Amino acid sequence: MTKENICIIYGGKSAEHDISILTAQSVINAMDKEKYAVDTIYITNEGEWIKGPAITNKIEDAEVLRLMSSESVSLTEMLSQSTTGQAYDALFPLLHGPNGEDGTIQGLFEVLDLPYVGNGVLAASSSMDKLVMKQLFANRGLPQLPYVSFLRSEFEKYRTNILELIDNKLEYPVFVKPANLGSSVGISKCNDREELIKGIEEALQFDRKLVVEQGVSAREIEVAVLGNDHPETTLPGEVVKDVAFYDYKAKYKDGKVKLAIPADISEETAETLRNMAVEAFKATDCSGLVRADFFVTEDETIYINETNAMPGFTKFSMYPLLWENMNVSYSELITRLIELAKERYTEKKKIKYKMD
């Protein structure tokens, strides 16, 4: 059987660089090597692109994926020609955060007319920007918590006014979030004005645009979405925390977070969450994969928090585990995402780019 050529792209000029490497290790190890010939491209923290060798064996240590500079190859050649000398059937970007999950690299693939896994430019960029995402959700009628958003330059000029606006519009605790980062990087839970100021100063190190959101006493429930024009959803799962706030350290270093799959909620609430996940998927014109995150209060009032266009994707992450609960294995999920990428690329080829 002739193998399909797939290129895994990981690393990236992002605060989530290390997470991307772990994701790449997990995906590469789970891919069906009888079906796919697997190449790699590593993007360093400085933004250098390095083509790696074909991978045929299991990667035991993720550190081997931190490739060193080799012979110079043009970016176009790197992306268009596999180590077998054939064109890639699909590129598989496993990049989290800016310069990878935000539509920038997707735009590059579109310009070069290459098939790739995951969301397109609009979906990736709007799902990455929390403010734009909230505005699209509002247009779709999805319920959200109150929030305030501002730029670094605005805070520098109107600091007192913005702090007063937050105090008047929201109630403590509030969450301060960089608008364009994931994995809880730069996010702070703030219980008073002093903590708010510290949280804003921390978040402004990671982005020029912030969102300050009303806190709520609620469970964190997530739904995985898979597909293109006709997406499927999983039963909801719950993030069960042993800490007050599910931050980067709790997620990736302390192991103080457990996942309950499926979540212990009523069938009616589960169905509502699944329907809302599809609405959120469509609101940002998504394709491939999305994880939709919700808050569910004690009386089962639902608020959408966000969608993640490139969710955590190691075999122990919520997204793959939600599908495993639906009897879709991690390896099969990877295969389906590649098939969806080729399907979308074929569909795009039907578009006319010149008049007869």
Side-chain angles (χ1 to χ4, degrees):
M1 180 179 73
T2 302
K3 294 183 180 182
E4 295 183 22
N5 292 289
I6 306 297
C7 186
I8 305 295
I9 303 172
Y10 63 95
K13 195 175 178 181
S14 163
E16 299 174 79
H17 182 96
D18 291 349
I19 301 164
S20 175
I21 292 175
L22 294 175
T23 302
Q25 178 192 22
S26 193
V27 169
I28 290 167
N29 287 345
M31 291 181 73
D32 183 352
K33 304 301 191 302
E34 297 297 317
K35 183 177 177 65
Y36 301 117
V38 183
D39 286 353
T40 57
I41 292 176
Y42 171 55
I43 305 174
T44 69
N45 274 120
E46 292 71 37
E48 180 184 2
W49 291 53
I50 304 171
K51 186 72 171 276
I55 295 181
T56 56
N57 299 316
K58 186 175 182 180
I59 297 173
E60 300 291 350
D61 183 0
E63 287 303 305
V64 304
L65 291 172
R66 296 183 191 271
L67 304 178
M68 303 297 289
S69 294
S70 56
E71 61 184 63
S72 179
V73 180
S74 73
L75 186 57
T76 302
E77 182 181 347
M78 197 180 290
L79 289 169
S80 60
Q81 184 172 317
S82 71
T83 53
T84 66
Q86 305 297 311
Y88 286 115
D89 292 277
L91 306 174
F92 201 146
L94 295 170
L95 298 156
H96 301 288
N99 305 302
E101 189 184 341
D102 58 357
T104 51
I105 201 167
Q106 290 78 9
L108 173 64
F109 299 156
E110 292 286 349
V111 170
L112 296 177
D113 193 26
L114 300 170
Y116 59 95
V117 171
N119 287 282
V121 176
L122 174 63
S125 58
S126 59
S127 294
M128 190 68 195
D129 189 309
K130 293 179 176 64
L131 179 59
V132 173
M133 183 195 311
K134 286 178 177 297
Q135 293 167 340
L136 292 171
F137 287 165
N139 188 60
R140 202 85 183 189
L142 293 167
Q144 303 178 75
L145 291 165
Y147 65 91
V148 171
S149 182
F150 52 90
L151 302 176
R152 179 191 291 114
S153 59
E154 292 172 333
F155 187 70
E156 290 170 350
K157 189 172 184 179
Y158 305 110
R159 177 189 178 100
T160 301
N161 301 53
I162 289 173
L163 292 173
E164 289 179 356
L165 175 63
I166 294 170
D167 283 342
N168 293 331
K169 186 174 180 179
L170 309 178
E171 296 180 5
Y172 291 104
V174 298
F175 286 87
V176 179
K177 305 178 180 181
N180 290 283
L181 272 179
S183 297
S184 299
V185 174
I187 297 181
S188 301
K189 181 181 181 181
C190 307
N191 295 293
D192 53 40
R193 171 72 79 90
E194 183 179 354
E195 290 183 1
L196 172 65
I197 293 171
K198 289 181 180 178
I200 290 172
E201 291 172 347
E202 167 75 9
L204 285 174
Q205 296 181 56
F206 295 97
D207 198 0
R208 60 182 282 274
K209 184 195 299 184
L210 303 188
V211 174
V212 180
E213 188 174 72
Q214 175 71 61
V216 63
S217 178
R219 300 161 67 185
E220 296 184 25
I221 310 292
E222 302 178 349
V223 177
V225 188
L226 177 71
N228 288 331
D229 292 348
H230 306 286
E232 305 171 59
T233 61
T234 64
L235 290 171
E238 180 175 4
V239 177
V240 183
K241 301 173 289 185
D242 292 333
V243 289
F245 168 46
Y246 184 31
D247 62 5
Y248 178 93
K249 190 167 180 279
K251 276 184 178 181
Y252 298 105
K253 295 185 177 181
D254 291 347
K256 292 185 177 180
V257 174
K258 298 179 182 178
L259 307 179
I261 302 172
D264 184 15
I265 53 178
S266 68
E267 289 186 15
E268 180 181 358
T269 298
E271 188 64 24
T272 300
L273 287 165
R274 296 177 77 174
N275 289 336
M276 288 175 65
V278 171
E279 287 300 303
F281 187 91
K282 292 180 177 179
T284 49
D285 193 28
C286 291
S287 55
L289 74 165
V290 154
R291 192 192 69 227
D293 300 349
F294 300 91
F295 297 122
V296 179
T297 65
E298 187 175 358
D299 64 359
E300 300 207 341
T301 299
I302 299 171
Y303 300 99
I304 189 164
N305 179 24
E306 62 184 9
T307 51
N308 193 317
M310 186 56 231
F313 205 80
T314 70
K315 65 185 299 184
F316 304 111
S317 299
M318 175 67 96
Y319 186 90
L321 290 175
L322 285 169
W323 282 110
E324 186 176 281
N325 183 61
M326 306 295 287
N327 297 315
V328 178
S329 71
Y330 188 50
S331 180
E332 182 184 352
L333 180 59
I334 292 167
T335 297
R336 289 183 65 176
L337 284 168
I338 293 170
E339 292 302 314
L340 286 167
K342 295 189 297 181
E343 174 189 284
R344 184 184 60 188
Y345 184 73
T346 300
E347 181 70 18
K348 191 182 74 169
K349 286 297 185 182
K350 298 176 183 178
I351 297 172
K352 292 175 61 175
Y353 292 100
K354 62 180 181 179
M355 300 298 293
D356 293 331

